[in-house]
Structure formats: C-alpha cells, structure tokens
C-alpha cells in the first residue's frame, strides 16, 4: 500500500502537469483533480496501470473537433458561433454524451463534462464511451425559427463526426426535445438514413419512454437507495431543488411520487420558495411554463399564493432535509453548504454536473451526510439514452414500465458499486471515491487490454 505522503506527492505532480498541458481550463482541472484524488492510491498499487500511463492517457481526449456555425437571424443579420465535439474516450463503447447550448460554453467546460461522462457511462454498466459537445450559443430570446436555423447549420458540420457506432449525442442545458428534433431532421436529410444517431428523440421517431424523466427520476432513485441503506425513506422529507429545466422538473415529480415535500425551484434569475410545497398541480404549471412557454420561474410567485421569489439568489438558504442541485456547475458553494448543514441537511443528490464546489463537498464529507456525486446520481439520463440506442438497434419500443424498471435496476447497481468501492469498512460510504473508482477501473482495464493505442 502506498503511504499518504507518496499519494499526495503524486497527485500534486500529476495535477501540475495537467494544468501545464491544459492552461486556462479551470473546470477541467477541477473535475480531473477530484477523480485523481480518488484513484491515485489504486493506480500507485498497480504497476501495469502506471507503466501504461493510463491516467495520463485517460485525461487526454481522443480528439476535439472545433467548428464554425454560421446562420442568419430573423432580421437578416449573419451570426457566427463556435461549436465543439469533445470525443473523450471510446474504450468501452461508442462515444456518448450531450450537447450544450449556452453562452458560457467553452473548451474547459466541455472537457470537464466529457471527462466526467467517461466514468459516468462506465458506471451504468452499458457499453458507452464518453463525449460532450455544444456551442457558445444562447437560445434565450431566440425565435423558434432562429433556433431551427442554428440547429440545422450545426448539424451540417456535426453529421460527419457522429454515427450509431461512432458517437451518439444527446441533449443537455439549452438542448431539449425541440433542438434534438431539428438536429435529427437535418442529419436524416443529409445522410438519407433513419438511424439512432441522437438520443432524446420524439416518441414517434425513435425516442424512448422515460428518457425525458430519466435524469431527475434517477437522481431521486439514487437518494432513495442511499437512504434505504440507512433504514430510512423519502417519505415526509423536506427537499430543496434548484433549476426548473429537464432535470429539476422530473426530480420534483419523482420526489412527489415518493411522498416528499419540495419547497424550491429556480432558474438563472433567482429562486422561488413555496412554504406550502410544490404539489402536482403546481408542477404541471411549471412544466407548461418551461417546456411550452419558455418563461421565467419568477412568474410562479405571481401565480401562487404564499410563494416568494428571491431575485439573483440560489435556494440553499432554505432549511431542507435533502438538497437536489439540478441547474448547473458550481452553483452550491462553501457558504451555501455551511448554511444547509446548519439548517439540518441530511443528504445531497447531484442532479446537475459538478453543481457543488470542492469546498462544499469537503464540508458534506466532514459532516458525514449522504452525498451522491453527479457521475453516479445523474447517470439515469445517459442510462436511458443507452436503452434508447438498444431499442433503436432492435427496432422495437419498450413500455414505460419496462424502461422504468430497468432504470431503477441500473441506479441500484450504480449505488451498490459505489458502496463496494467506497466503503471505509466502518459503515461509512464515500460515494465520491466509490463512483470514481468503480467507473475508472473498467475503462482502465479496457485501455490496458488494447496495448498502446
Ligand atoms: P435545462 O436547460 O433543461 O435546465 C437548466 C436549468 O438550470 C434552467 O432552469 C436554467 O435556468 C438553470 N441554469 C442554467 N445555467 C444557470 C446558471 N449559470 N445559474 C443558475 N441557473 C442556471 O438543462 P438540464 O435540466 O438538462 O440540465 C441541468 C444540469 O443537469 C446540467 O448540469 C446538465 O449537464 C445536467 N445533466 C442533464 C442531463 C439530462 O438528461 N438533461 C443528464 C445528466 C446531467 P435558465 O433557464 O434561466 O437558464
């Protein structure tokens, strides 16, 4: 066994090199460091992995495609954006990961997401490599026609880099059902093929039941598994949720099914606190607001008595038993964690990718509360995307109950893998370490088997 000093020295050396090779990529450094801290002791104990420099190879993407997306807005102005596809690692299956449209998208963000995706996809037990892509395009305020023209233009380039056995993108922030449909329509036209090259498709053209709900439902199933291990349940727990997009909406829905009370939702302009709880009827109203009208969450407080809107704030000042950060990266910081813990927080399930800063995670660990890290807790989305690929390949559709049963099974397996690799032997489970190590070992062994490629 390597001693702690050696491990710390090797982590420091490794991260110095990562920073040097990837300057100005803070999100990518943050994601790599978290994983390396978990896996370094294991790597140091395996000569084969060290000699093959598996960790160095796993932190270098297989390839990055960068391209221009030109399109014309409704006033006839030509607009120019930049898009990326980071094909990170296909050791255990074709590349798979979402597309994000957001003004803050850059290479650092996409490399962090692509790297995380490799380990997350490995954890699902399905044969999927990891990738991520997107564009620095802000869909907010754009007309449906503008969104369509942008998606079509993006696919004119992206189509040559994807395929059902090569790389299968999906949605992410700013890319929902509407955008996936535009992208798929253009792919089909250009290639003259109807193939499962994107997931999150509409139900009438190859989509899977429960895909829309999968990330949110999966995040709740993961929390349920953690609680059950402690002999507890979600029944009667007060929960705070951030975001009001795809992940947040279906997190709230599943929490209601499980008998929990949800008191918050948010978007980038602020959060709403509803002391009476968001019930089924209010959730239906939020779905219409966000999935049909593309409106702002502040309208909720104008519509429902007893609800308050807090502009420019995140929901973490509200007392809750459980927190489900489901909006974006680094949205829950050290001070938020302190406040949540002071108010009696018992568990966190990361619906978004890397929503908690490293300082916040460290406080949660010190307090020994339940903490489900993103790559485990939000893997339900990509898992059902994998099931969508299987249905496309078989040219069949499974029922809602069949897909949901598989999703629950996958989330339970992920939970149990985290326990196996993250159990400290005294009843405490470090789910971060467990998820990182369980995801890593499978990919590392596959890379080793291929030789030096
Ligand atoms: P959506 O675009 O549907 O929703 C995103 C939500 O987060 C919106 O409410 C948005 O508010 C809010 N948000 C975005 N950026 C910020 C910001 N900088 N500050 C505060 N709020 C912000 O995305 P998803 O729900 O699909 O994704 C949410 C998270 O979950 C992301 O981290 C994504 O990577 C992750 N994820 C998603 C999966 C999926 O299946 N969809 C799968 C696995 C992970 P506004 O509308 O004002 O921008």
């Amino acid at each position: 066994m390597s001693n702690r000093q050696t491990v710390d020295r090797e982590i420091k050396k490794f991260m110095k090199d990562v920073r040097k090779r990837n300057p100005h990529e803070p999100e990518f450094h943050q994601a790599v460091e978290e994983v390396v801290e978990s896996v370094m002791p294991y790597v140091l104990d395996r000569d084969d992995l060290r000699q093959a420099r598996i960790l160095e190879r796993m932190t270098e993407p297989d390839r990055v495609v960068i391209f221009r997306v030109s399109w014309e807005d409704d006033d006839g102005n030509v607009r120019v954006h930049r898009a990326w596809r980071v094909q990170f690692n296909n050791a255990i299956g074709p590349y798979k990961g979402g597309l994000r449209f957001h003004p803050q998208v850059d290479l650092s963000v996409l490399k962090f997401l692509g790297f995380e995706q490799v380990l997350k996809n490995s954890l699902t037990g399905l044969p999927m490599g990891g990738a991520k892509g997107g564009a620095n395009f802000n869909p907010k305020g754009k007309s449906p026609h503008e969104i369509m023209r942008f998606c079509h233009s993006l696919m004119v380039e992206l189509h040559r880099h994807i395929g059902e056995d090569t790389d299968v993108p999906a949605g992410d922030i700013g890319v929902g059902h509407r955008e996936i449909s535009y992208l798929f329509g253009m792919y089909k036209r250009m290639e003259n093929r109807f193939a499962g090259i994107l997931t999150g498709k509409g139900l009438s053209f190859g989509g899977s039941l429960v895909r829309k709900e999968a990330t949110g439902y999966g995040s709740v199933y993961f929390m349920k598994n953690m609680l059950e291990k402690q002999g507890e349940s979600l029944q009667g727990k007060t929960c705070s949720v951030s975001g009001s997009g795809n992940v947040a909406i279906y997190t709230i829905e599943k929490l209601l099914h499980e008998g929990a009370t949800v008191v918050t939702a948010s978007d980038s302009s602020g959060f709403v606190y509803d002391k009476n709880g968001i019930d089924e009827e209010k959730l239906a109203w939020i779905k219409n607001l966000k999935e049909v009208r593309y409106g702002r969450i502040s309208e909720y407080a104008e519509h429902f008595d007893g609800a308050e809107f807090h502009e420019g704030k995140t929901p973490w000042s509200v007392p809750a038993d459980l927190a489900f950060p489901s909006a974006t990266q680094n949205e829950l910081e050290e001070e938020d964690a302190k406040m949540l813990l002071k108010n009696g927080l018992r568990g966190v399930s990361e619906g978004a990718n890397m929503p908690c800063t490293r300082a916040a995670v460290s406080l949660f660990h010190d307090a020994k509360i339940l903490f489900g890290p993103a790559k485990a807790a939000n893997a339900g989305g990509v898992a059902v995307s994998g099931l969508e690929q299987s249905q496309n390949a078989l040219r069949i559709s499974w029922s809602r109950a069949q897909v949901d049963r598989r999703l629950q099974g996958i989330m339970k397996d992920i939970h149990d893998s985290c326990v196996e690799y993250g159990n400290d032997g005294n009843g405490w489970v470090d789910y971060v370490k467990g998820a990182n190590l369980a995801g890593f070992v499978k990919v590392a062994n596959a890379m080793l088997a291929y030789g030096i490629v």
Side-chain angles (χ1 to χ4, degrees), residues 335-355:
E335 289 309 308
D336 302 317
K338 277 186 193 156
M339 179 72 85
L340 282 163
L341 289 168
K342 196 170 138 235
N343 287 334
L345 186 76
R346 314 258 299 282
V348 178
S349 183
E350 291 190 314
N353 282 312
M354 208 167 74

Side-chain angles (χ1 to χ4, degrees), residues 100 102 104 113 120 132 140 171-175 211 215 243-248 266-269 290 296 326-329 351-353 378 381-382:
R100 178 177 289 194
H102 193 278
Q104 279 156 13
L113 291 164
K120 182 188 305 187
K132 201 80 189 188
K140 271 193 218 116
D172 190 69
I173 291 180
V175 180
R211 173 59 192 94
T215 309
S244 51
N246 174 264
V247 179
S266 72
D267 63 20
S268 55
S269 48
K290 290 292 179 180
R296 309 304 299 158
S326 310
T328 193
Q329 64 267 14
N353 282 312
N378 74 22
V382 76

